[in-house]
Amino acid sequence: MTYVMSDIHGNKRNFDSILEQIDLQPEDELYVLGDVIDRYPDGIKILRWLMKRPNTWVLLGNHEYMMLRALGRPYDLYEQTDELFVAEQQQLWYQNGGYVTHKHWKRLRK
């Protein structure tokens, strides 16, 4: 079976509920169409779980895109990463629910 979801936004309770309903099996495929992070606190945890699954594919959503731009080098997608640019991108990301994700991202070990 093939499953598709998007806009999880760090909401682990809802995400776990969906996984329970679909009862994802090793032979199934799960496609996540972006926006795993932001707004709720468990986006990084969910993203890491998804990355470990062999039958799961995650596409970059606009929230992940904002995160990469806000973090600057070496995570940026562009040449332009001066401090002002990164600060502007971080402000945009925070306005869209990124603060909670950034707080958890900073706690990760390298």
Side-chain angles (χ1 to χ4, degrees):
M1 184 72 69
T2 300
Y3 297 97
V4 179
M5 68 171 68
S6 68
D7 297 285
I8 299 165
H9 288 295
N11 190 330
K12 189 155 177 8
R13 192 181 92 204
N14 286 354
F15 179 69
D16 289 344
S17 174
I18 291 168
L19 288 180
E20 186 178 318
Q21 291 173 52
I22 65 175
D23 190 27
L24 193 65
Q25 299 298 309
E27 64 274 6
D28 296 334
E29 294 181 321
L30 174 62
Y31 293 88
V32 180
L33 307 181
D35 293 350
V36 174
I37 61 169
D38 298 344
R39 298 189 183 147
Y40 289 88
D42 292 317
I44 297 291
K45 183 184 289 186
I46 294 168
L47 189 57
R48 292 180 77 176
W49 183 88
L50 291 167
M51 291 169 63
K52 292 177 186 175
R53 301 212 32 103
N55 59 342
T56 301
W57 293 266
V58 180
L59 299 179
L60 186 74
N62 65 309
H63 283 263
E64 288 83 17
Y65 181 74
M66 281 187 282
M67 178 183 75
L68 291 172
R69 292 184 70 169
L71 293 176
R73 288 189 186 271
Y75 309 102
D76 65 313
L77 303 174
Y78 294 100
E79 296 286 326
Q80 182 183 5
T81 56
D82 60 66
E83 289 182 29
L84 178 59
F85 176 81
V86 171
E88 289 171 350
Q89 296 307 307
Q90 187 177 67
Q91 181 180 8
L92 175 65
W93 183 34
Y94 281 14
Q95 288 171 350
N96 286 280
Y99 177 76
V100 66
T101 301
H102 197 195
K103 186 171 91 175
H104 286 87
W105 178 84
K106 288 191 277 186
R107 293 182 190 157
L108 295 174
R109 292 191 313 247
K110 299 271 181 197

